[in-house]
Amino acid sequence: MFGRLQKVQGNKVEIELDDELDFNKVERFANGKQPEVELNVNDGRTITPDQRKKIWALINDFCLYTGYSLDEAEILFKSLTRSKYNIEPFSLSDCSVSTGCLMIEAILEFLFDNDIPFQTQTWDSIPDWFPKQMLCIKKKLCVICGKPDADIAHVQTVGMGRNRSKINHTGMYIMSLCREHHTLQHTIGLTTFMETFHIKPIKVTKEIAKELHLGKVVSK
């Protein structure tokens, strides 16, 4: 469980939890003993509670889909993170903030690459620094809500009647939107849309156009 420290009075503290607590479940886990808790205060150097919360939310989604246990999944993704970024063994209790970011990125890429679905709450928690726009375009997922079969939306207007397979996309800015959010983009206008959802389109390079099979220029 994660939460925010609200008040301290002597040796008593008040914490507001992010989610409701099922105390009966806690007592079962404690096996008849007095439940114990651990208070970790973010010092700005070690992994933050918010990072740990994101990691466990992602791992939980993976376990729900695959049947892995939480312990098995933790070992799997720690190993994946270490091999991917060539870092030393680490603990989620006291690793650095940067290591926490790398583990989140490693898990997210794995879930995207293997088409493992996200819970809505998990999708909303994906950090802004993660390059999910590119992955959403590859997987045809809406970058806002995660719905499948998304469109490639252009920041610049492509224009009516033009063949999108014969447009030179290089240099254009694009994003991946479901039909609902694509329609909303045109309804409220691009500026308002971008300010509302805080999304960042990607600029199409020649390499990205080739990788995504975006249209080519028609020979004259």
Side-chain angles (χ1 to χ4, degrees):
M1 297 292 294
F2 296 87
R4 300 290 183 273
L5 183 62
Q6 299 295 321
K7 185 171 65 176
V8 178
Q9 186 174 356
N11 65 347
K12 295 183 178 181
V13 298
E14 180 180 316
I15 297 174
E16 182 180 346
L17 297 175
D18 294 339
D19 302 297
E20 291 186 5
L21 177 65
D22 185 342
F23 193 72
N24 290 329
K25 184 183 291 186
V26 172
E27 287 187 316
R28 289 198 299 272
F29 283 139
N31 197 23
K33 299 179 181 179
Q34 177 71 30
E36 296 182 0
V37 297
E38 179 179 352
L39 176 63
N40 291 311
V41 179
N42 178 20
D43 63 4
R45 296 172 308 206
T46 57
I47 184 172
T48 68
D50 188 55
Q51 285 179 308
R52 270 195 294 268
K53 182 179 179 180
K54 286 181 171 64
I55 287 171
W56 285 113
L58 291 167
I59 288 177
N60 187 62
D61 282 356
F62 170 79
C63 291
L64 288 173
Y65 187 78
T66 64
Y68 273 67
S69 70
L70 289 173
D71 289 341
E72 291 171 335
E74 180 185 4
I75 293 171
L76 169 66
F77 287 118
K78 279 183 177 178
S79 176
L80 178 65
T81 305
R82 288 176 54 202
S83 62
K84 182 176 178 64
Y85 299 107
N86 192 27
I87 57 178
E88 297 296 320
F90 61 91
S91 168
L92 288 178
S93 64
D94 60 2
C95 67
S96 68
V97 169
S98 59
T99 296
C101 287
L102 293 177
M103 186 165 182
I104 292 171
E105 185 165 346
I107 299 173
L108 283 167
E109 288 188 355
F110 182 90
L111 299 186
F112 268 98
D113 289 343
N114 291 279
D115 297 320
I116 296 176
F118 296 89
Q119 300 292 321
T120 300
Q121 186 175 2
T122 307
W123 181 270
D124 292 340
S125 76
I126 295 177
D128 293 337
W129 49 259
F130 184 74
K132 67 177 181 180
Q133 184 69 259
M134 182 66 176
L135 287 173
C136 285
I137 291 172
K138 288 181 179 179
K139 298 293 183 180
K140 296 184 178 180
L141 300 174
C142 178
V143 73
I144 295 174
C145 65
K147 288 181 180 177
D149 301 320
D151 302 326
I152 290 181
H154 297 78
V155 172
Q156 301 94 332
T157 303
V158 172
M160 295 293 289
R162 294 176 62 184
N163 187 338
R164 288 171 180 252
S165 68
K166 296 180 180 180
I167 296 169
N168 182 10
H169 287 79
T170 303
M172 299 183 72
Y173 287 84
I174 60 175
M175 49 193 170
S176 184
L177 301 175
C178 65
R179 178 57 56 185
E180 178 182 350
H181 283 110
H182 198 171
T183 300
L184 182 63
Q185 174 207 342
H186 292 292
T187 301
I188 66 177
L190 181 64
T191 301
T192 301
F193 185 82
M194 301 284 282
E195 290 175 350
T196 300
F197 294 103
H198 308 289
I199 57 176
K200 184 178 180 181
I202 63 169
K203 184 177 182 179
V204 180
T205 63
K206 291 181 180 179
E207 292 74 21
I208 290 176
K210 182 178 180 180
E211 181 179 359
L212 299 179
H213 306 290
L214 297 176
K216 301 177 181 179
V217 182
V218 179
S219 301
K220 294 183 179 181

